[in-house]
Amino acid sequence: MLLIMKCRICSSKNLEKFLSLGESPLANNFLKKEDLEKEELKFPLELVFCNICQLVQLSYVVDPKLMFKNYVYVSSTSNTFRQHFTKMAEDLKKDFNLDENSLAIDIGSNDGVLLNGLQKFNIKVTGVEPATNVAKIAEENGVETINDFFNKEVVNKIIDKKGKADVVTACNVFAHIDNINSVIENVKLLLKDSGIFVIEVQYLVNTIEDMTFDNIYHEHLSYYSLTALKYFFEKRNMEIFNAIKILTHGGSLRVFTQQKNNKRKINENVNKILDHEKKIGINNIEVYKEFADKVYSVKEKLNSYIQNIKKGNRIIVGYGAPAKSTTLLNFCSIRKKEIDYIIDDNPLKIELYTPGTHIPILSSGELEKNTPDYIIILAWNFAPEILKKTKKYTDKGVKFIIPLPEPRIV
Ligand code: JHZ
């Protein structure tokens, strides 16, 4: 565990702390039954704001090997995500004229869901994925995957074997990387002069406006605005030429970058988003202090909401055990006394227990055997998909709760 003394983007020490969610276990460190009595690793979850480049970031960095060598998150678990990445592959092919001579590399390629989509157009692909178990799933899905962190050695290996890349993607991994400076140097090495680097990151503006503070956990080291990303890429001689808002994870940004001497025109979206960020005060610590105050009051509201239900001896269970539920459950001290069990459809999570709060994770069959009165949708970003597949329980009178930004029945 390392205390960040300097900003990840600009190296400034002018960092201001504005939020503490206490000590929390690692979000994806789901426990086996035999490990429940063992002491769990917990680390502080605190956010700081850089007064120079405006990056919001965690104050502590946990060793990535502890988090990413064996991973339980599999992108294709949800239909929503499969569709999202299939469409992204189609858009990349169309917008950048990729064909069988093109090479695409995905950093943090998980089970290969994006690359699978690109392969359907005969585009050459390679994934880079540090989690051994997930890289294996990708290989089984027919996606060539290097089981390693993205580093210079890996880049040289790819160049030797396949040449330079037309497109490098990094979806939901850029916020996870501590040394983004070295990553960007390696991306530049890997890209053809005309190549593009496309990232998807959860969007800080959604986090603060929609109170989705549960996406704050140790895997997410940085919380990006376009303002901070622009600062970062310009310092590394890269240029953002387009940015679009997308719906994943409660609101994310897809950001397109190119080497600075490239010819693509800057899309007007970029300035529109930057102007909006300026207008809402993304560069002002007061916005973050206000957000922190609201986070503490959401905790109180959620706790009293749950206590009211429990007073009537009602049974509550959860649906979805996403990484973000670890933050919500730990920060709000919600345990088995409040939530009897959680359903998850990812087989890798079933029969495990939630980190810190030790609530059992079961398969959806449990709903039939032990039908609850309330289901709290912890994977709220997939609420429509989950509500659709559990419709028979709504028909039976089970009530579904969305916890954020304020608990409400849907
Ligand atoms: P989901 C992940 O976070 C992990 P998580 C990662 N660290 C990251 O950065 C963010 O994404 C961006 C389950 N589910 O996607 C599956 C069902 O059971 O919101 C998952 O366990 N049935 C890379 O973990 C969870 O919910 C369903 O029908 O917060 C969703 O996790 C559906 C739709 C989901 O990400």
Side-chain angles (χ1 to χ4, degrees):
M1 189 172 71
L2 185 76
L3 180 61
I4 293 184
M5 302 306 290
K6 291 193 292 189
C7 170
R8 173 166 303 110
I9 286 185
C10 70
S11 300
S12 155
K13 291 186 179 172
N14 191 349
L15 301 173
E16 213 164 327
K17 183 167 117 182
F18 63 89
L19 175 67
S20 172
L21 299 178
E23 301 243 316
S24 203
L26 299 179
N28 271 316
N29 224 3
F30 295 92
L31 304 168
K32 293 195 181 115
K33 192 167 193 172
E34 59 267 31
D35 294 333
L36 287 176
E37 299 306 316
K38 294 186 190 151
E39 206 184 322
E40 282 178 79
L41 288 176
K42 289 193 178 173
F43 304 95
L45 256 189
E46 293 175 349
L47 284 186
V48 300
F49 170 71
C50 173
N51 278 306
I52 305 302
C53 72
Q54 272 89 52
L55 180 68
V56 170
Q57 54 207 296
L58 287 190
S59 62
Y60 285 90
V61 177
V62 176
D63 181 352
K65 290 199 191 80
L66 279 178
M67 299 189 282
F68 302 121
K69 275 317 271 183
N70 185 51
Y71 207 46
V72 286
Y73 181 76
V74 179
S75 302
S76 297
T77 305
S78 74
N79 200 12
T80 314
F81 253 130
R82 283 195 302 275
Q83 283 171 1
H84 171 78
F85 285 116
T86 305
K87 174 83 173 60
M88 180 176 179
E90 284 167 15
D91 290 347
L92 286 174
K93 182 215 154 22
K94 189 162 59 69
D95 296 345
F96 299 99
N97 300 320
L98 303 178
D99 59 23
E100 66 277 8
N101 296 316
S102 313
L103 175 64
I105 307 297
D106 191 26
I107 306 175
S109 48
N110 200 275
D111 61 354
V113 61
L114 171 64
L115 296 181
N116 236 321
L118 290 169
Q119 257 177 340
K120 296 211 170 97
F121 301 112
N122 295 323
I123 296 160
K124 289 177 282 179
V125 304
T126 301
V128 183
E129 171 53 55
T132 308
N133 60 323
V134 182
K136 197 163 156 260
I137 300 176
E139 287 280 352
E140 284 162 10
N141 291 342
V143 176
E144 186 178 321
T145 302
I146 299 176
N147 176 212
D148 208 338
F149 287 98
F150 181 75
N151 54 37
K152 199 166 182 178
E153 220 189 319
V154 165
V155 166
N156 285 329
K157 213 194 258 179
I158 296 172
I159 295 175
D160 282 351
K161 196 169 166 200
K162 298 194 169 170
K164 292 208 172 198
D166 297 86
V167 47
V168 176
T169 46
C171 299
N172 300 310
V173 286
F174 208 59
H176 304 55
I177 300 170
D178 189 18
N179 194 346
I180 47 176
N181 296 317
S182 111
V183 165
I184 211 69
E185 287 319 311
N186 289 327
V187 166
K188 284 161 76 175
L189 196 67
L190 179 58
L191 277 180
K192 288 181 182 164
D193 288 347
S194 60
I196 56 166
F197 178 45
V198 185
I199 62 169
E200 285 191 1
V201 286
Q202 284 183 15
Y203 189 26
L204 176 65
V205 171
N206 289 106
T207 304
I208 56 178
E209 285 185 345
D210 305 334
M211 296 308 297
T212 51
F213 64 87
D214 53 349
N215 80 39
I216 302 167
Y217 48 89
H218 301 101
E219 287 180 23
H220 296 165
L221 300 172
S222 303
Y223 299 79
Y224 289 111
S225 61
L226 195 62
T227 307
L229 283 170
K230 183 170 188 284
Y231 186 106
F232 169 71
F233 281 112
E234 280 182 356
K235 282 263 178 263
R236 269 91 208 162
N237 273 326
M238 300 273 293
E239 184 175 53
I240 296 177
F241 66 91
N242 199 2
I244 53 174
K245 292 185 191 171
I246 51 175
L247 295 173
T248 51
H249 295 295
S252 301
L253 277 184
R254 182 181 296 160
V255 180
F256 299 80
T257 70
Q258 61 186 354
Q259 323 247 24
K260 240 201 177 131
N261 50 7
N262 227 291
K263 298 265 182 305
R264 285 180 200 91
K265 264 180 51 197
I266 314 283
N267 191 293
E268 60 183 20
N269 285 343
V270 176
N271 278 334
K272 269 194 201 152
I273 296 177
L274 290 171
D275 287 347
H276 178 70
E277 289 183 357
K278 203 165 169 194
K279 204 163 123 209
I280 63 169
I282 211 77
N283 51 3
N284 185 347
I285 184 71
E286 292 313 316
V287 166
Y288 302 98
K289 288 184 177 159
E290 217 175 277
F291 165 68
D293 288 343
K294 284 197 207 151
V295 168
Y296 303 127
S297 88
V298 168
K299 173 181 176 172
E300 278 174 29
K301 280 188 191 147
L302 182 61
N303 280 335
S304 70
Y305 193 88
I306 289 177
Q307 290 318 326
N308 272 338
I309 295 176
K310 294 309 285 183
K311 267 190 221 150
N313 280 329
R314 302 289 185 195
I315 292 177
I316 311 177
V317 306
Y319 207 114
K324 56 186 162 291
S325 66
T326 298
T327 296
L328 190 74
L329 299 174
N330 277 278
F331 178 59
C332 299
S333 303
I334 298 170
R335 300 174 161 272
K336 199 166 174 324
K337 198 155 57 68
E338 287 82 22
I339 292 189
D340 287 36
Y341 60 86
I342 297 176
I343 299 300
D344 200 282
D345 296 313
N346 171 356
L348 296 183
K349 292 187 183 174
I350 289 169
E351 290 188 9
L352 298 179
Y353 292 77
T354 55
T357 48
H358 300 186
I359 301 171
I361 301 171
L362 303 171
S363 65
S364 58
E366 192 65 23
L367 286 176
E368 198 60 57
K369 285 189 254 161
N370 285 311
T371 309
D373 302 293
Y374 291 84
I375 297 179
I376 181 161
I377 305 182
L378 297 165
W380 45 259
N381 44 326
F382 295 115
E385 188 175 338
I386 289 170
L387 285 168
K388 200 166 153 202
K389 65 164 70 160
T390 52
K391 185 160 179 318
K392 70 171 174 183
Y393 297 103
T394 322
D395 296 343
K396 281 185 188 173
V398 177
K399 295 192 171 67
F400 284 77
I401 303 168
I402 303 265
L404 298 174
E406 280 192 11
R408 65 184 193 284
I409 303 276
V410 281

